[in-house]
Amino acid sequence: MSRNQRIALVVGALVVAVVAFLIAQPGGDDEDDGSERAAQTAPRQSEARTTGETTETEAEAEPAPPKPKITHIRLRSGTVVGGVKRAQATTGDTVRILVTSDAPDELHLHGYDIYENAAPGKPARFLFRADIEGVFELESHVAEDAGRDPLIGRVVVEPA
Amino acid sequence: VIQLAHGLVARSDLPIPEWLFGWAAAMVLVVSFVALAVLWPDPRLQQEGWRPLPRGLGRALAARPMEIICGAIGVFLLGAVVYTGFRGTQSSTANFAPTFIYVIFWLALVPASVLLGDVFKAFNPWRAVGRTVGWVARGAARGELPAPLAYPRWLGHWPAAAGIFAFAAMELVASNGDRPEDLAIATLIYSALTFVAMALYGVETWTQRGEAFSVYFNLFSRLSPIETRDGVVGYRKPLSGLPALKVLPGTVPLLAVMIGSVTFDGASEAPLWTGIAPDISQFFQDLGLAPRRALELAFLLGLSAAILLVYGFYRLGVAGARSVGGGFSTGRLAGAFVHTLVPIALAYVAAHYLTLLLFQGQSIAFLASDPLGDGADLFGTADTQIDYGVIGANATWYWQVGLVVAGHATALTLAHDRALAIYDDARLAVRSQYWMLAVMVGFTSLALWLLSQANV
């Protein structure tokens, strides 16, 4: 390979890097990511307030934090009504999950290692601060013992 | 979908965000461009230049007493796995055996091998037992034992490939793959097979070619600058250990199993797989299989498909490289470049299992204190817990992407050096590298894509 070709390749690499920077980086932290997150948070906030268009940064700047959203999971004859639920949170959020069941059950949130019991008319309440990032499974031990799919929900904690 | 064999996993990673995915992919291209431009015009890595560590340190580190101590530790741990598997609680996260096998043995030994050389060889319990038995038998026979059978050439690395496949199937396919008692049984079966093979073909021969874990960890240790030769610890030029790899029948399939099984583990959480798995499982149920068996069969199919995909993709790149000329057969070329897949395999393992090792690995502190899960506290660490704060999601993402890109760069370097060594014509060497480059970019993109997929 000639000297000129080598230089051309390095220049090509630099161009790719600059283009990647222009495309990915500015949007990376502000626009893209923000709008994505806003899009994710919009559905959960739209129930509470119609001005769900506010961006993430504004929401964070507000002195009064929004009321923690409650994720509601209903278990009927051993299955989750409407499929496996997902509770989305950002580090530092307070996560609230309510599990109602038509049969006694023990529920286990992995990672955070929280156990709560549910019984007919007496739902299990999970209330905790999302301080570990990652995806955590919420499982029914009754289903697990019966050899059924124990997964009833996931807690997704994203970095702030 | 019933979760198979992931009983140890309490937490899974967040998928890497799109912008980072884009960045990483761009980095891969940049690295590739730069590599093509600045890499050396003459082969440099084909000679190892091994030298012993100075002042007798190399000899002392691998001296007979050290060998005996390490071997004894290995045998003790093997015994501990079997004992706790049978006698301990059958809850997979409260028993010593599953975490030790899947996290400490299977995962922690990988970085250990890359940093310190072939440490598993020193601790290998089967090799230690085999050598001890041979030594005792020689003493009893008052002379040399009958020579072992000649190891068939065609067998090559096939037993190792089969062994790693079986291990992956136990981890990712079998629904009881994390049950302590089943792990203990599997350990006993594997030990028995290993001892029989060692008796037939000789301890060292089987360890080097057939014993799955020896071959597996030895491959990673070839990335290390440290190597033990003839009882002396020494060091070699970085990356010079891999070109010295003896390619045997089955070496390419072995690498395909290594990369393919991690691929499947990642892909099995992706919507692509979780979408079709129930259908495949239903198909087998309709054929009369029990739901659990049907699901296992579906996963076995997925695992095999991922391995074949990796194998086929590599062969495709090799066929392309062959088309530029040079007069090599596809088989010869496939063997000539297979060592470049080792850093890729490392990148896959490192990126995919980074957090499992960092988080679940901590649990060995309380599991070692309470190995049976019956409330014992042997070392006073039974009450420790996993600290999930050691690495956050952002740091995890950067490490994962960094490891994947580093593996990519290493593979490119090795492929470039090998091309220069085997092609007489430097221009042919470069042209063949466009194909290998395409293969590497393909594997790296797949790794990144897998990191961007998760069950969220």
Side-chain angles (χ1 to χ4, degrees), chain B residues 132-442:
Chain B
T132 310
V133 169
W135 181 72
V136 170
R138 266 195 300 278
R142 292 169 195 279
E144 276 307 299
L145 295 168
L149 297 177
Y151 188 83
R153 225 202 94 64
W154 58 266
L155 204 54
H157 277 144
W158 280 108
I164 298 298
F165 180 80
F167 187 91
M170 185 171 78
E171 184 183 19
L172 308 174
V173 173
S175 56
N176 54 351
D178 60 345
R179 202 170 156 265
E181 196 174 279
D182 294 294
L183 283 173
I185 293 171
T187 307
L188 286 182
I189 293 174
Y190 185 75
S191 302
L193 288 175
T194 303
F195 291 138
V196 169
M198 281 178 168
L200 286 178
Y201 299 117
V203 173
E204 296 302 336
T205 306
W206 185 254
T207 306
Q208 281 163 20
R209 301 185 199 172
E211 203 272 292
F213 303 108
S214 298
V215 174
Y216 180 79
F217 292 121
N218 177 266
L219 281 174
F220 289 128
S221 79
R222 286 171 179 275
L223 284 159
S224 167
I226 298 175
E227 189 199 2
T228 304
R229 274 189 197 177
D230 304 324
V232 184
V233 181
Y235 58 97
R236 59 188 167 198
K237 226 186 306 176
L239 297 188
S240 67
L242 273 172
L245 173 70
K246 278 199 191 68
V247 178
L248 305 171
T251 310
V252 179
L254 170 66
L255 263 302
V257 169
M258 286 163 62
I259 298 176
S261 53
V262 182
T263 303
F264 176 68
D265 197 13
S268 63
E269 292 172 0
L272 176 70
W273 174 252
T274 50
I276 59 167
D279 296 335
I280 305 176
S281 169
Q282 191 57 47
F283 171 76
F284 288 126
Q285 279 192 53
D286 294 342
L287 291 179
L289 278 172
R292 193 159 278 269
R293 291 283 164 259
L295 194 62
E296 284 181 338
L297 202 56
F299 269 65
L300 190 64
L301 222 61
L303 175 63
S304 309
I307 291 168
L308 286 177
L309 206 74
V310 167
Y311 181 76
F313 187 61
Y314 177 68
R315 292 301 295 230
L316 201 69
V318 166
R322 180 172 179 265
S323 70
V324 305
F328 298 109
S329 70
T330 344
R332 163 94 166 80
L333 276 184
F337 287 98
V338 67
H339 66 288
T340 65
L341 294 182
V342 174
I344 297 206
L346 174 69
Y348 270 65
V349 170
H352 191 79
Y353 296 116
L354 176 73
T355 51
L356 185 63
L357 177 59
L358 287 180
F359 293 136
Q360 211 60 40
Q362 296 176 38
S363 67
I364 208 66
F366 59 80
L367 290 173
S369 250
D370 185 9
L372 301 175
D374 60 1
D377 193 358
L378 302 177
F379 307 111
T381 52
D383 293 328
T384 58
Q385 285 181 330
I386 298 175
D387 174 9
Y388 285 100
V390 288
I391 184 169
N394 277 313
T396 305
W397 288 331
Y398 292 129
W399 271 103
Q400 285 175 327
V401 168
L403 287 164
V404 167
V405 174
H408 178 74
T410 309
L412 278 180
T413 307
L414 287 167
H416 170 81
D417 201 66
R418 175 53 56 88
L420 291 173
I422 65 168
Y423 287 97
D424 300 328
D425 183 350
R427 195 168 300 170
L428 275 189
V430 169
R431 276 170 60 195
S432 76
Q433 280 318 286
Y434 294 143
W435 287 93
M436 294 316 292
L437 183 67
V439 170
M440 308 286 176
V441 170

